[in-house]
Amino acid sequence: MTRTLPPATGASTAGAPASPPTRPIRVTGVYLVAGTAVLLLAAVHLTQGTSTVDVGDLLRLLIGAGDQHAGDVLVASRLPRMLAAVLVGIALGVAGAALQSIARNPLASPDTLAVNAGAHLAVVLSAAFGLAVAGTGFLGGLAALGTAFLGGLVAAGLVLLLSAGGATGPTRLILAGTAIMLALQSLTFLFLLLYEEETHGLFAWGNGSLVQTDLSAVLRLAPVIALGILGCWLLGHRLDILALGDDPAAVTGVPVARTRLTAVLLAVLLAAAAVTLVGPLGFVGLSAPAIARLVATRVPGLARHRLLFPLAGLTGVLIVLAADIAVRAALGGQAGVDIPTGVVTTILGAVVLVWLARRLRDSGPTRQPPTGHVGALRSTRGHLAVLAGCVVLVGAALIAGMLLGDTMVLTGDLANWLADRTGTALTFVLDQRYPRVLGALLAGAALAVAGSTVQAVCRNPLAEPGIIGITAGAGVGAVALITFLPGVGTWTMTGVAGTAALITFAVVYGLSWRGGLNSDRLVLIGIGTWMGANAVTTFLIVAFDPWNTAKALTWLSGSTYGRTAEQILPVALALLVLTPVIVAARRELDLLTLDDDTPRILGVRLEPARLVALTAAALLTATAVSAVGVIGFVGLVAPHLTRALVGARHTRILPVAALLGALLVSAADTVGRTVIAPAQIPAGLLTALIGTPYFIWLLWRTRLR
């Protein structure tokens, strides 16, 4: 029997006894404690800032003896910031609780359903094309809210559709949300790069910044948030009944479809209002309901939605205020301006996601071997034909990469360059271009081999090195190094990125182990680690190199820009050393894709085999990241296409996957260097835009399994 995470609602499931009666004294006590904590944190929050106004000045204002300067600071800066924190905390807490109840999944939230990412993209598009700017005028603010609402609604609808409403298990919901979020973030990064002047400041804002210049935005959005919260509260009784199951709810007269739709619309409205006010404040909508439900399990009756929603909102306020206070207490008042509060809340949310994932005791219904769909070309002749075709295509991509770019080169010029007979100008162009072309090919091959390995070990067709956190871990190491020691050599960069990737892998693997390694738990913990590592990367950029947003976006988006032959050498060496290790374990990989019992029966030492394979995959990923930055989806798409062409045996998968991965990244790099030359689109953005539709198709094809 399949067992997944506990029901998200905290209410009884179908056929179970109803929730125990409410105990008013205990419920009142919980609210008194939460309310008192909010008031205390709000008071502390008002004492922090960049000005010299301190506690004494604020106390004198309270008794009517303060000066004008202190009053101006309070009204123009500190009070709007504190009220913004209160509003978005309540909005995201209630929105997350509503989404978890509708999806019956404790991992549902505005983040994991890509609502925040969709709303963020909509606001960035509005700014890029001059349609509206968040916080500018009453009508401008309403236009930003409207576009954010539409963007969040489309994203949430797509995620819920792909995950069958979230009812098929936590892994599918998180994977669907992660895929959509990655695609939307790629588009957002693209427009931030292409419209850098028009979207100036939206990179840091895109991680949740509470900075306010006055009360106008707060006053404009407060009624919208209040309306959304009231609507959720009024739906509370219906959601209590809906927690029993769709059929029992329909029998009692609850309009199931209409209730679900209304709850989703209200949750998206609340999340969109929060994004419009302060940007995407990460994981408050996951952490606050999770903590509130944990309290509700100890207080009878508190799990009823009309009591749970206010508690989730208050918990959200506590999280936001505490995160903002912690940043400014640790790093000074100016840090509250420079460092987005969302970075801290995202790290906290990642911890909560990992904690929830560790409660997963067995695989959900979505788990399946990555060999669920394989092609018919299983003969040796068919395999050789595919292999030869891939070699030809990679060769063509190599030539195209050398010929195309901001300066077009003829084949004759390329031949002359190889013979060292070109002029200075063409020699310079091609000398700069060939490391980029080779870097794309080698990094693509490394990521594809790593992805094939990860999918086999995880027995999950939707896993890849990025999704289980390895890529983000390597990115943290590399970004930290180029931020603090920008002049270090290539081998130092590779060593640091590799060490960070191995540490991340060790953490994910260790946390996933609970009486055995569960593939769904590995994926969920990997995603939580990935999001936390991305938050750390953002912190490093905005805290220590805030004026170099373009560099940060280029690195996070994956680019071959400025690569040298020395920088791509580690990738080549890693492929030469580690690929034979993985190829030697091809039989073990074939068996690992089946189940845990078959390899043991056949004498395979399960855990050492997994550990060796995943370590090799982590090192391959780390060298690719150190060379070309963070490029996603290659490790997902290339292995799947390979299995569709040559079958499920890793003897055939590994070489073809390496060639297809090289082809994918090379083509993306060439197109990105050519279509809007002399400007460039990072290869990672294009691979994400290519990989996301394929990922969505995979989810759709297997949505009912």
Side-chain angles (χ1 to χ4, degrees):
M1 182 177 178
T2 300
R3 303 175 69 182
T4 57
L5 291 167
T9 60
S12 57
T13 55
S19 298
T22 303
R23 296 185 180 179
I25 295 179
R26 295 184 66 179
V27 171
T28 302
V30 169
Y31 275 105
L32 282 175
V33 170
T36 302
V38 167
L39 291 175
L40 289 175
L41 287 181
V44 173
H45 191 276
L46 289 175
T47 65
Q48 295 179 315
T50 57
S51 70
T52 57
V53 175
D54 57 17
V55 179
D57 295 322
L58 295 180
L59 289 176
R60 283 189 288 273
L61 276 177
L62 189 63
I63 61 175
D67 57 22
Q68 183 65 33
H69 173 67
D72 291 342
V73 169
L74 180 65
V75 174
S77 176
R78 296 190 183 180
L79 189 61
R81 185 181 182 116
M82 187 270 289
L83 291 176
V86 171
L87 280 179
V88 298
I90 293 176
L92 292 174
V94 174
L99 290 173
Q100 289 176 8
S101 296
I102 290 301
R104 296 197 187 102
N105 193 314
L107 301 181
S109 74
D111 303 275
T112 56
L113 267 65
V115 176
N116 284 351
H120 183 205
L121 174 60
V123 172
V124 169
L125 288 175
S126 296
F129 297 111
L131 301 178
V133 179
T136 302
F138 182 77
L139 294 178
L142 289 182
L145 174 60
T147 55
F149 174 74
L150 290 176
L153 185 61
V154 170
L158 186 56
V159 172
L160 289 172
L161 180 65
L162 293 173
S163 61
T168 55
T171 306
R172 178 173 294 276
L173 178 74
I174 299 300
L175 285 170
T178 300
I180 302 302
M181 180 176 63
L182 282 172
L184 295 175
Q185 284 181 345
S186 296
L187 285 172
T188 301
F189 282 4
L190 177 61
F191 283 99
L192 288 174
L193 285 170
L194 296 181
Y195 297 88
E196 188 173 356
E197 292 185 5
E198 292 85 350
T199 61
H200 179 69
L202 288 182
F203 175 68
W205 177 87
N207 291 277
S209 174
L210 293 175
V211 175
Q212 303 289 316
T213 56
D214 54 38
L215 284 168
S216 60
V218 171
L219 295 176
R220 183 171 59 244
L221 291 172
V224 177
I225 292 174
L227 181 63
I229 293 171
L230 177 61
C232 289
W233 187 83
L234 292 175
L235 281 180
H237 182 62
R238 289 185 179 181
L239 292 175
D240 289 338
I241 300 174
L242 195 61
L244 302 174
D246 289 357
D247 292 337
V251 169
T252 60
V254 173
V256 174
R258 190 167 61 196
T259 300
R260 287 182 181 278
L261 178 61
T262 303
V264 170
L265 290 174
L266 290 170
V268 172
L269 177 65
L270 288 170
V275 170
T276 305
L277 183 60
V278 302
L281 206 62
F283 281 107
V284 177
L286 175 71
S287 304
I291 296 171
R293 292 181 196 282
L294 184 64
V295 174
T297 60
R298 291 163 172 78
V299 181
L302 192 55
R304 294 173 179 172
H305 283 85
R306 289 189 175 179
L307 294 174
L308 181 67
F309 281 148
L311 182 60
L314 288 174
T315 307
V317 175
L318 289 173
I319 291 172
V320 177
L321 287 174
D324 202 32
I325 289 171
V327 168
R328 294 191 288 181
L331 302 175
Q334 185 60 36
V337 179
D338 298 334
I339 300 173
T341 307
V343 170
V344 181
T345 62
T346 299
I347 294 173
L348 172 63
V351 173
V352 172
L353 177 57
V354 170
W355 172 70
L356 289 171
R358 277 185 56 80
R359 299 174 67 194
L360 184 65
R361 289 171 291 180
D362 202 354
S363 298
T366 62
R367 186 177 66 109
Q368 56 184 301
T371 55
H373 179 71
V374 296
L377 294 176
R378 300 180 182 180
S379 67
T380 301
R381 181 178 299 176
H383 171 240
L384 292 177
V386 170
L387 192 62
C390 290
V391 170
V392 171
L393 289 174
V394 169
L398 173 62
I399 295 172
M402 292 299 296
L403 298 179
L404 302 177
D406 54 352
T407 301
M408 299 295 179
V409 177
L410 301 176
T411 53
D413 296 325
L414 182 59
N416 288 333
W417 174 74
L418 291 172
D420 198 20
R421 293 198 301 266
T422 51
T424 304
L426 276 177
T427 299
F428 176 79
V429 169
L430 293 173
D431 283 348
Q432 296 295 313
R433 188 171 292 176
Y434 87 85
R436 301 189 62 173
V437 175
L438 291 179
L441 290 168
L442 294 173
L447 291 171
V449 172
S452 301
T453 306
V454 168
Q455 287 182 10
V457 173
C458 293
R459 288 200 302 275
N460 194 314
L462 306 176
E464 59 116 10
I467 285 178
I468 66 169
I470 296 174
T471 301
V476 169
V479 169
L481 196 64
I482 63 177
T483 299
F484 297 116
L485 298 171
V488 297
T490 298
W491 292 104
T492 304
M493 169 74 78
T494 302
V496 170
T499 302
L502 287 176
I503 292 173
T504 305
F505 161 66
V507 169
V508 171
Y509 195 89
L511 291 173
S512 304
W513 181 268
R514 186 177 177 183
L517 185 68
N518 174 272
S519 64
D520 284 351
R521 188 163 57 238
L522 177 67
V523 170
L524 291 172
I525 290 176
I527 289 174
T529 305
W530 165 65
M531 293 177 175
N534 281 345
V536 173
T537 299
T538 301
F539 170 79
L540 291 173
I541 293 168
V542 299
F544 301 104
D545 201 4
W547 303 109
N548 206 348
T549 299
K551 178 200 75 175
L553 289 173
T554 300
W555 178 267
L556 292 174
S557 303
S559 175
T560 61
Y561 179 78
R563 299 301 93 187
T564 64
E566 183 185 8
Q567 289 172 320
I568 65 173
L569 181 59
V571 190
L573 292 177
L575 281 168
L576 289 174
V577 173
L578 296 173
T579 302
V581 173
I582 295 175
V583 170
R586 60 193 181 278
R587 174 178 173 271
E588 287 80 2
L589 293 177
D590 289 340
L591 295 173
L592 286 173
T593 61
L594 301 175
D595 51 43
D596 285 354
D597 295 330
T598 303
R600 289 193 181 102
I601 292 172
L602 296 177
V604 174
R605 299 176 63 192
L606 198 60
E607 295 313 320
R610 281 174 170 163
L611 194 60
V612 170
L614 287 177
T615 300
L619 290 174
L620 281 172
T621 302
T623 56
V625 170
S626 67
V628 299
V630 178
I631 296 182
F633 284 106
V634 178
L636 171 77
V637 174
H640 268 279
L641 290 177
T642 301
R643 282 191 292 272
L645 291 172
V646 300
R649 293 174 55 193
H650 283 81
T651 301
R652 298 179 176 182
I653 286 176
L654 292 172
V656 175
L659 291 170
L660 287 178
L663 178 63
L664 179 60
V665 178
S666 178
D669 179 61
T670 301
V671 171
R673 289 187 285 111
T674 305
V675 290
I676 58 171
Q680 299 184 22
I681 302 174
L685 296 185
L686 290 178
T687 59
L689 296 178
I690 294 170
T692 300
Y694 189 81
F695 191 94
I696 291 172
W697 175 76
L698 288 174
L699 285 168
W700 178 259
R701 184 171 60 84
T702 61
R703 68 192 184 282
L704 298 178
R705 294 186 182 182

